[in-house]
Amino acid sequence: AFEYLPKPFDVDDAVALVKRAVAHSHERRATSEPQAESTQRNAEIIGEAPAMQEVFRAIGRLSHSNITVLINGESGTGKELVAQALHNHSPRASHPFIALKDKKRKR
């Protein structure tokens, strides 16, 4: 993750953050090893449980659509893996994948 946006957030702040994340991604890509990037892109989710099979079907359906998807869940449940899989199987797979995390503020 590049950074997080605490809720509520300003749209202008979010746009600026995304621009910084894209610039950072381009810099990292220019200096990183190609093998590391391909390893990340080829990481696949595995699982045989019925719940995982449903996740795989949802990824298959959603990856071909042009809608915004919100992935939520507990920490450590694989949200970023699902987002990466959606990206990898979408028409935008040749474009950069940038993960943004939103950590809720404790009140």
Side-chain angles (χ1 to χ4, degrees):
F2 178 73
E3 197 171 318
Y4 69 94
L5 290 171
K7 291 181 184 177
F9 59 86
D10 181 72
V11 174
D12 292 333
D13 291 342
V15 170
L17 175 61
V18 170
K19 287 180 180 179
R20 287 194 314 272
V22 169
H24 178 74
S25 174
H26 288 294
E27 290 171 11
R28 274 187 59 191
R29 205 173 274 236
T31 61
S32 71
E33 296 178 23
Q35 184 180 9
E37 182 180 317
S38 66
T39 301
Q40 179 186 9
R41 187 172 286 159
N42 292 330
E44 293 290 331
I45 304 171
I46 59 171
E48 296 179 10
M52 286 305 299
Q53 295 302 311
E54 185 60 33
V55 170
F56 298 147
R57 284 191 288 277
I59 289 170
R61 286 190 309 267
L62 292 169
S63 65
H64 298 291
S65 68
N66 195 26
I67 62 170
T68 301
V69 177
L70 173 65
I71 303 167
N72 59 17
E74 296 295 321
S75 177
T77 57
K79 297 176 294 294
E80 191 169 334
L81 287 173
V82 170
Q84 182 73 55
L86 278 167
H87 177 76
N88 290 348
H89 296 282
S90 77
R92 297 172 297 280
S94 62
H95 299 287
F97 171 76
I98 301 172
L100 295 176
K101 295 182 182 183
D102 175 25
K103 296 185 179 184
K104 295 178 184 176
R105 285 187 284 173
K106 293 184 181 184
R107 295 177 190 225

